[in-house]
Amino acid sequence: MAETENTSISTQVQNEFVIDDGRIESIEEYLSPEELFDDLISRVKKYNPEGVELIRKAFELANNAHKDQLRKSGEPYIIHPIYVAIILADLEMDTNTVIAGILHDIIEDTDLTYEDLKNTFNEDVADIVEGVTKLSRMEIGNRDKMDVQAENLRKMFLAMAKDIRVIVVKLADRLHNMRTLKHMSPEKQIEKAKETLEIYSPIAQRLGISRIKVELDDLSLKYLEPEAYYDLVDKIATRRAEREKYVQSIVEEVGQHIKNAGIHATIDGRVKHFFSIYKKMKNQNKTLDQIYDLFAVRIIVDTIPDCWAALGVVHGIYKPYPGRFKDYIASPKSNMYQSLHTTVIGSSGQPFEIQIRTNEMHQIAEYGIAAHWKYKENADGKHIYLSDEKKFAWLRQILEWQKESEDNAEFLNLVKNGLDLFTDEVYCFTPNGELKQLPMGSTPVDFAYSIHSAVGNKMIGAKANGKLVNIDYKIQNGDKIEILTSNTSTGPSLDWLSFVKSAQARNKINQWFRQERKDDNIVRGKELLSSYCKPRGYDYNELAKTPYTDYVMRKYGFKEWDALLAAVGHGGLKEGQVINKMTELYERNHKKPITDEQVVETVAADAQTRKNRRFDAKSGIVVEGVDDVAFRFGKCCSPIPGDDIVGFVTRGKGVSIHRRDCVNIRNLPFEDKKRLIEADWSEAALTADNSNKYIASITIFANNRNGLLVDITRTLTEKNVPILSLSTATSKREVATVQVSFEIQSKEELTNIVEKLGQIESVLNIERTSS
């Protein structure tokens, strides 16, 4: 232990105003590019003075290349790359990464090329910039946004596997864009904030870069829940002086005892960031006044023995809160985080958290993977090998999902669940003593699939600490889990999906069922495509030829035609998506010059179409070639404006309107397919001021708990949604199924309602009802 007089004590309420608008935006409004660059150089000199000249060379190149470009705010474009480089310098990244930050938009937005950067600097810089550029390019065209996002995520994870610094630059780029998001349209603000919260913030957390993760979280909250954000800012600011005084008293008291024990330490107090507090208020259904652990005291010492000595001092002063001690030194988090956490009761009776770690642990907690550039001599992104680093198990898992999952919707869902670190982890052991980290609430099924898919598929039972347990048993910290298997096992059960917690287990179970049913799905997919073609006058056999099948396989990322057919068969792809893409190419390849006679015929045909078109103002439906018939909406799928719809001519009850993905429509007998007619929504029905009311039906799946139904009805009431019917059921495994119907005016309104309901505690999934 070091001398007592070296103990230093400081209070830092550092996260209260880290996102304060005036502070960040005033800097950007008043500093010129040259002043900002001088600030960058002063930061780099503190840890890497040798790299200054190359960084200056990069600035001069970028400043000249971007000289005629402006950002949406009206400021010179070069401001953005400099801020990105400043963020990277604050992480103490290597010279090549800081240079890449300055140049990250140069290939995409200027005439400079990869070869120019390679010749001017080096191959390393050129590779990082090219990697970031590939992540930025989105060829959207007529493609679905989900497909675009999925493909860009695939590119992102491949780039990370090649050089982890690519994603570090991308995170810095996203952080500065979020800081200046006020210059974007409200729609873009929400879109970018949601993507940040679902993808970029969890990646920053996985890489252990808490500095970036915390700010991304808070900025996302600012745009997704502005009222909650600013209310929280105001309330925290109101009692700031009182809280700082209290934190100061605790830090001084702890500091004095640590000093008396002869431990060299730095001690500070910090208020938890806004998003963390908001999440706790929401999850626990509490007000700010009811959240007691708003701050944490941090003790930073020299060695691991000092950590335990400091813990002994703390527990000698304050009473430990039962069940709230965590040893992340012996069992680090998956993102390399190490610390001792303990919650204690203060002299006033108020609980607060104390974190104890070494200086190196603190650097890794703040900078994560970036700390490798400080603690590993000559380290770079290419030399942090995924195969050697346990901390990159999550990235290897996502790369594996990428190979296995050809369905973009499924891949997106897997990534979002797999990156989610908002739940704690549980630590357990194999019979051989190997440590396993799983999401809190995991079961023996999750454990089995974490070992190998074959173990999970052959599982017939489990033991915890030598005793037989149910397969939905919730694993506790320290449990020794043994999986019982049998070669005669018939495979996993669909029921398992209702209680498994890990994205890996869910993916493997779904994959098993897809493979088992692949032949049936291929046949069904072919039937669906053929059935879709017939009423529209397409020849499926003509379309199912090499140029057209190759085209859609490339579009949707499939390597085999059978795999695409299986995806259509199990509902991962809609038959209309596939046929529409094929017919686009077919028509381009068979386009002939238009004669004068054809022009006359086309005009006449259009006039006849308008004459035959039937518009029903009350329902907002437009159909072709049908007159004097009543319309009604199918109760089985409850279509709403914006849904892809089709009409079905009933016997004596007019035309029934259904969603194209309605189970009843998809399973129509072949002889009834000819009664399908084209239908669409009128322009009036799709406008924001549409006054018609439509019935929407959804099914909510959730882990059963007290107050679940109250939370669901409260959310709908707050949204001013009239509830028409509501029914509930609970399975033996305590999974609640809530079916609810209500009135809405548009698909956008339904999307917003579903998003709100999805945020309710214990909700697992929400589906549109189609039965």
Side-chain angles (χ1 to χ4, degrees):
M1 293 182 187
E3 296 299 318
T4 59
E5 59 266 28
N6 290 332
T7 301
S8 60
I9 304 169
S10 64
T11 50
Q12 298 175 8
V13 189
Q14 58 188 9
N15 282 323
E16 287 208 0
F17 296 101
V18 102
I19 316 289
D20 180 83
D21 292 340
R23 175 176 169 270
I24 290 174
E25 289 169 7
S26 62
I27 291 174
E28 298 186 1
E29 287 168 7
Y30 294 110
L31 291 184
S32 68
E34 289 72 23
E35 289 171 317
L36 266 181
F37 179 70
D38 289 342
D39 182 33
L40 168 63
I41 291 300
S42 68
R43 295 172 194 242
V44 172
K45 281 180 177 177
K46 292 177 184 176
Y47 74 97
N48 182 23
E50 296 83 7
V52 166
E53 288 311 310
L54 274 176
I55 291 171
R56 191 181 305 279
K57 184 177 179 181
F59 167 68
E60 290 169 357
L61 180 68
N63 197 23
N64 184 58
H66 291 298
K67 64 182 177 182
D68 297 324
Q69 298 172 357
L70 298 176
R71 300 197 83 207
K72 287 188 180 292
S73 60
E75 65 193 2
Y77 192 86
I78 189 64
I79 291 284
H80 169 63
I82 299 175
Y83 266 109
V84 170
I86 286 174
I87 293 168
L88 295 169
D90 285 343
L91 295 176
E92 299 191 359
M93 296 299 290
D94 62 307
T95 302
N96 286 345
T97 308
V98 176
I99 290 173
I102 296 173
L103 304 175
H104 76 273
D105 281 332
I106 212 158
I107 294 179
E108 184 177 15
D109 295 340
T110 75
D111 294 331
L112 292 171
T113 65
Y114 172 90
E115 290 300 323
D116 293 331
L117 298 187
K118 181 180 173 182
N119 295 333
T120 305
F121 297 98
N122 54 57
E123 188 176 356
D124 205 26
V125 168
D127 283 344
I128 299 172
V129 174
E130 185 181 51
V132 176
T133 302
K134 286 178 179 177
L135 300 185
S136 303
R137 285 177 178 162
M138 290 192 182
E139 300 171 3
I140 297 178
N142 296 321
R143 295 158 63 203
D144 187 273
K145 273 189 177 181
M146 179 201 71
D147 293 329
V148 173
Q149 188 182 23
E151 286 183 26
N152 278 276
L153 282 176
R154 291 178 192 272
K155 288 193 293 184
M156 181 187 297
F157 293 120
L158 286 172
M160 288 170 68
K162 185 179 178 182
D163 190 337
I164 203 73
R165 291 174 297 177
V166 170
I167 195 60
V168 177
V169 175
K170 187 64 181 175
L171 286 172
D173 175 43
R174 175 52 62 107
L175 177 55
H176 185 250
N177 283 334
M178 287 297 293
R179 286 176 178 174
T180 57
L181 201 58
K182 71 170 189 175
H183 302 293
M184 304 293 282
S185 68
E187 294 77 16
K188 274 289 181 188
Q189 288 174 353
I190 292 172
E191 180 186 326
K192 293 294 182 187
K194 188 175 179 184
E195 183 182 49
T196 297
L197 199 59
E198 289 180 347
I199 303 295
Y200 289 98
S201 173
I203 286 176
Q205 174 77 330
R206 282 287 188 182
L207 296 177
I209 311 175
S210 64
R211 280 196 169 194
I212 288 181
K213 185 252 192 288
V214 163
E215 195 172 346
L216 288 177
D217 281 343
D218 286 351
L219 286 166
S220 298
L221 178 64
K222 175 179 173 181
Y223 290 101
L224 292 175
E225 298 287 349
E227 289 184 16
Y229 173 83
Y230 285 110
D231 181 57
L232 200 54
V233 170
D234 292 341
K235 285 179 178 175
I236 288 178
T238 301
R239 300 179 59 187
R240 182 183 183 186
E242 176 188 342
R243 189 165 43 254
E244 282 188 354
K245 185 178 178 181
Y246 181 67
V247 174
Q248 177 71 37
S249 67
I250 290 175
V251 168
E252 288 177 356
E253 185 177 14
V254 172
Q256 189 58 51
H257 283 81
I258 292 287
K259 183 177 181 181
N260 293 341
I263 302 170
H264 175 224
T266 300
I267 305 170
D268 62 43
R270 62 179 185 87
V271 171
K272 294 182 177 179
H273 61 288
F274 297 136
F275 183 76
S276 172
I277 297 170
Y278 167 77
K279 185 159 59 85
K280 187 165 288 191
M281 289 168 61
K282 186 176 177 184
N283 291 345
Q284 299 177 8
N285 198 23
K286 291 182 177 179
T287 64
L288 184 64
D289 293 334
Q290 294 171 311
I291 302 292
Y292 296 113
D293 53 342
L294 287 176
F295 64 90
V297 172
R298 195 161 48 199
I299 302 173
I300 301 172
V301 297
D302 293 331
T303 66
I304 292 177
D306 284 351
C307 290
W308 289 102
L311 179 69
V313 172
V314 167
H315 283 177
I317 312 169
Y318 306 111
K319 182 180 178 181
Y321 202 97
R324 293 293 296 272
F325 170 71
K326 293 178 181 176
D327 179 5
Y328 291 120
I329 294 178
S331 300
K333 290 187 178 183
S334 54
N335 64 353
M336 306 172 288
Y337 178 87
Q338 288 182 289
S339 232
L340 298 178
H341 285 202
T342 184
T343 300
V344 296
I345 311 295
S347 52
S348 64
Q350 180 173 335
F352 61 92
E353 186 180 64
I354 291 184
Q355 302 166 357
I356 306 170
R357 61 181 74 137
T358 66
N359 282 295
E360 184 171 342
M361 290 174 191
H362 179 62
Q363 291 297 314
I364 291 172
E366 292 290 301
Y367 302 109
I369 191 64
H372 278 262
W373 281 264
K374 185 171 184 178
Y375 285 101
K376 289 195 175 181
E377 203 172 332
N378 299 323
D380 63 46
K382 293 177 181 176
H383 293 121
I384 300 176
Y385 296 109
L386 297 184
S387 58
D388 298 334
E389 296 286 357
K390 192 175 180 180
K391 64 185 79 56
F392 286 109
W394 62 275
L395 180 54
R396 291 197 302 274
Q397 179 63 68
I398 288 175
L399 292 172
E400 185 181 328
W401 290 338
Q402 184 159 315
K403 292 175 186 174
E404 295 172 350
S405 181
E406 296 176 323
D407 183 333
N408 281 335
E410 180 188 53
F411 177 66
L412 270 179
N413 188 50
L414 283 169
V415 168
K416 289 174 183 178
N417 289 331
L419 285 174
D420 186 15
L421 283 187
F422 300 147
T423 55
D424 288 329
E425 293 172 316
V426 65
Y427 298 85
C428 54
F429 297 90
T430 68
N432 296 328
E434 182 187 349
L435 179 68
K436 287 284 182 182
Q437 291 173 253
L438 297 169
M440 186 66 75
S442 287
T443 66
V445 176
D446 297 282
F447 182 91
Y449 280 105
S450 74
I451 296 171
H452 197 279
S453 57
V455 176
N457 292 339
K458 294 180 180 180
M459 177 179 177
I460 58 169
K463 289 182 179 181
N465 306 316
K467 295 181 180 179
L468 284 170
V469 293
N470 293 333
I471 59 173
D472 60 352
Y473 163 78
K474 285 184 170 51
I475 296 173
Q476 305 299 308
N477 277 320
D479 279 352
K480 184 168 75 171
I481 304 297
E482 181 183 352
I483 302 300
L484 309 177
T485 62
S486 170
N487 288 329
T488 60
S489 168
T490 57
S493 165
L494 280 173
D495 290 342
W496 294 3
L497 293 172
S498 66
F499 59 77
V500 292
K501 287 292 180 183
S502 65
Q504 181 180 12
R506 189 174 299 278
N507 177 46
K508 293 294 185 183
I509 294 167
N510 279 322
Q511 185 182 338
W512 187 89
F513 279 103
R514 277 200 311 274
Q515 190 61 40
E516 285 295 301
R517 299 171 179 173
K518 186 173 182 180
D519 290 342
D520 292 340
N521 284 330
I522 290 172
V523 172
R524 178 169 171 73
K526 189 172 181 180
E527 288 173 352
L528 287 170
L529 293 177
S530 182
S531 298
Y532 187 89
C533 286
K534 284 178 182 175
R536 292 164 179 79
Y538 303 139
D539 182 352
Y540 172 73
N541 292 325
E542 186 67 23
L543 289 176
K545 291 182 178 178
T546 301
Y548 314 115
T549 55
D550 285 352
Y551 177 66
V552 290
M553 282 193 290
R554 281 197 307 273
K555 280 286 182 185
Y556 295 111
F558 289 89
K559 295 178 181 177
E560 297 176 358
W561 180 241
D562 278 354
L564 186 142
L565 288 175
V568 173
H570 71 69
L573 267 180
K574 296 289 183 288
E575 55 269 32
Q577 287 177 279
V578 176
I579 295 299
N580 290 341
K581 295 292 182 190
M582 296 172 85
T583 54
E584 280 177 20
L585 181 63
Y586 182 86
E587 286 167 4
R588 283 204 301 269
N589 290 350
H590 293 78
K591 191 177 287 184
K592 296 177 181 178
I594 300 175
T595 64
D596 292 341
E597 291 80 5
Q598 287 175 313
V599 171
V600 173
E601 288 174 8
T602 301
V603 171
D606 287 344
Q608 187 62 39
T609 298
R610 286 192 294 273
K611 183 178 178 182
N612 291 341
R613 177 174 286 179
R614 167 81 191 284
F615 168 56
D616 184 78
K618 185 177 180 181
S619 63
I621 298 294
V622 179
V623 296
E624 303 290 346
V626 177
D627 202 5
D628 296 326
V629 214
F631 294 99
R632 63 185 178 86
F633 292 113
K635 292 181 180 179
C636 48
C637 59
S638 302
I640 59 174
D643 284 337
D644 192 8
I645 56 174
V646 66
F648 178 74
V649 181
T650 66
R651 292 184 175 92
K653 293 184 179 179
V655 175
S656 177
I657 303 297
H658 296 260
R659 301 200 324 246
R660 284 194 189 273
D661 61 355
C662 175
V663 172
N664 291 334
I665 293 298
R666 293 178 64 171
N667 293 325
L668 271 178
F670 177 74
E671 60 271 15
D672 286 339
K673 295 278 187 180
K674 58 189 177 185
R675 292 162 61 192
L676 293 175
I677 59 172
E678 287 300 306
D680 209 344
W681 299 99
S682 67
E683 290 184 13
L686 296 172
T687 58
D689 56 356
N690 168 33
S691 60
N692 289 342
K693 294 285 187 180
Y694 302 87
I695 297 174
S697 300
I698 60 173
T699 302
I700 304 167
F701 301 94
N703 290 322
N704 197 24
R705 62 174 175 82
N706 291 334
L708 173 63
L709 201 56
V710 173
D711 289 345
I712 291 172
T713 53
R714 183 195 294 125
T715 300
L716 293 172
T717 302
E718 288 173 353
K719 286 282 187 181
N720 295 318
V721 175
I723 300 174
L724 302 179
S725 67
L726 188 147
S727 63
T728 64
T730 306
S731 71
K732 291 179 181 179
R733 303 189 188 281
E734 286 298 299
V735 174
T737 302
V738 182
Q739 293 184 318
V740 57
S741 297
F742 44 83
E743 286 188 341
I744 56 168
Q745 289 179 274
S746 67
K747 193 166 187 177
E748 183 181 3
E749 184 183 359
L750 177 61
T751 301
N752 292 334
I753 291 168
V754 169
E755 276 188 19
K756 275 291 181 187
L757 290 170
Q759 294 168 7
I760 294 174
E761 179 188 353
S762 81
V763 168
L764 302 170
N765 193 24
I766 301 175
E767 296 177 356
R768 288 279 297 280
T769 301
S770 180
S771 59

